[in-house]
Amino acid sequence: GAVVSQHPSWVICKSGTSVKIECRSLDFQATTMFWYRQFPKQSLMLMATSNEGSKATYEQGVEKDKFLINHASLTLSTLTVTSAHPEDSSFYICSANRDGSYNEQFFGPGTRLTVL
Amino acid sequence: QKEVEQDPGPLSVPEGAIVSLNCTYSNSAFQYFMWYRQYSRKGPELLMYTYSSGNKEDGRFTAQVDKSSKYISLFIRDSQPSDSATYLCAIKAAGNKLTFGGGTRVLVKP
């Protein structure tokens, strides 16, 4: 149990386009999900906390208009990178708190984004 | 000073040896402690979760927490080449946000 999936696993796009990444909790409900960014050989950096039915909470320095988050159901959160630029190329990982077990976070496999 | 410090390694050990990993933290409000394993280009996988001082064992893995010293450890017994990965400690206070250490890269040589 406690499986989190992400789609796509990798994506290449042109500069200026938008890219949507999906995060799904497959076998549990998750009122709260998180989006992280990870650069090579570095640890995870929390970008935002996504709550079902309400606006996401962004960490300091993260542009909310550039990284749009929608948590439309208890099993799905999406991250849209708008007007992507090469500096947005990174590994994006989501995680989910299983409802009723708020201290354990389960991570998705990650999405590698390359912006040309 | 970072809230959670972790030696980046790499830590190289022969197969069968015990791998010893640790993190220190500065915020006494931290209550929940986790260890994750991350293979290259993959998402982190939860290995151990604990919230009290003392030891917790799960198979070849033992997690130790010393709240008085703000020090946590992970031991891997009988290490295998498949244990080669980056190990991340993650700590949090009440609430949902995790604070990660920088990760320690481990290499188990056959």
Side-chain angles (χ1 to χ4, degrees):
Chain A
V3 178
V4 177
S5 71
Q6 278 184 244
H7 178 79
S9 56
W10 60 271
V11 58
I12 300 173
C13 70
K14 292 181 178 179
S15 186
T17 60
S18 295
V19 174
K20 180 185 283 188
I21 303 170
E22 292 186 350
C23 176
R24 292 182 186 273
S25 55
L26 297 185
D27 51 1
F28 64 97
Q29 292 186 331
T31 301
T32 303
M33 293 184 174
F34 303 87
W35 287 96
Y36 294 84
R37 187 172 179 175
Q38 187 176 34
F39 291 105
K41 298 189 178 181
Q42 293 189 24
S43 192
L44 284 76
M45 182 191 78
L46 179 64
M47 299 174 66
T49 301
S50 169
N51 293 296
E52 188 269 337
S54 64
K55 290 184 178 180
T57 303
Y58 290 81
E59 295 299 300
Q60 192 172 12
V62 178
E63 299 175 60
K64 62 180 181 180
D65 294 330
K66 180 166 187 62
F67 298 100
L68 301 178
I69 291 172
N70 183 20
H71 195 149
S73 77
L74 289 174
T75 59
L76 173 64
S77 175
T78 61
L79 169 70
T80 301
V81 182
T82 62
S83 186
H85 291 282
E87 58 265 29
D88 299 322
S89 299
S90 189
F91 194 49
Y92 292 87
I93 309 175
C94 72
S95 70
N97 272 356
R98 181 166 46 190
D99 285 356
S101 178
Y102 292 106
N103 295 318
E104 295 175 279
Q105 275 191 32
F106 300 95
F107 284 80
T111 296
R112 183 159 303 280
L113 170 62
T114 300
V115 184
L116 302 177
Chain B
Q1 182 188 7
K2 293 181 181 178
E3 284 194 290
V4 182
E5 298 275 3
Q6 186 175 6
D7 189 325
L11 178 62
S12 182
V13 300
E15 183 175 356
I18 294 175
V19 176
S20 176
L21 304 163
N22 56 74
C23 288
T24 58
Y25 61 96
S26 56
N27 188 346
S28 58
F30 285 142
Q31 300 177 37
Y32 307 100
F33 309 92
M34 279 146 275
W35 284 95
Y36 288 87
R37 176 174 64 194
Q38 186 177 25
Y39 292 111
S40 181
R41 299 174 181 259
K42 301 290 184 183
E45 172 193 5
L46 180 63
L47 290 176
M48 299 287 284
Y49 157 65
T50 185
Y51 56 87
S52 59
S53 283
N55 292 359
K56 181 178 181 180
E57 192 173 314
D58 184 0
R60 296 186 295 115
F61 299 95
T62 299
Q64 280 187 353
V65 174
D66 182 345
K67 288 186 177 181
S68 62
S69 301
K70 299 187 180 66
Y71 189 89
I72 66 171
S73 301
L74 178 71
F75 300 97
I76 307 173
R77 292 183 298 280
D78 188 24
S79 58
Q80 305 296 312
S82 58
D83 294 325
S84 298
T86 296
Y87 290 80
L88 299 154
C89 64
I91 309 178
K92 67 177 201 163
N96 291 332
K97 286 170 53 172
L98 286 177
T99 300
F100 280 91
T104 300
R105 193 157 62 92
V106 172
L107 178 61
V108 180
K109 295 184 175 180

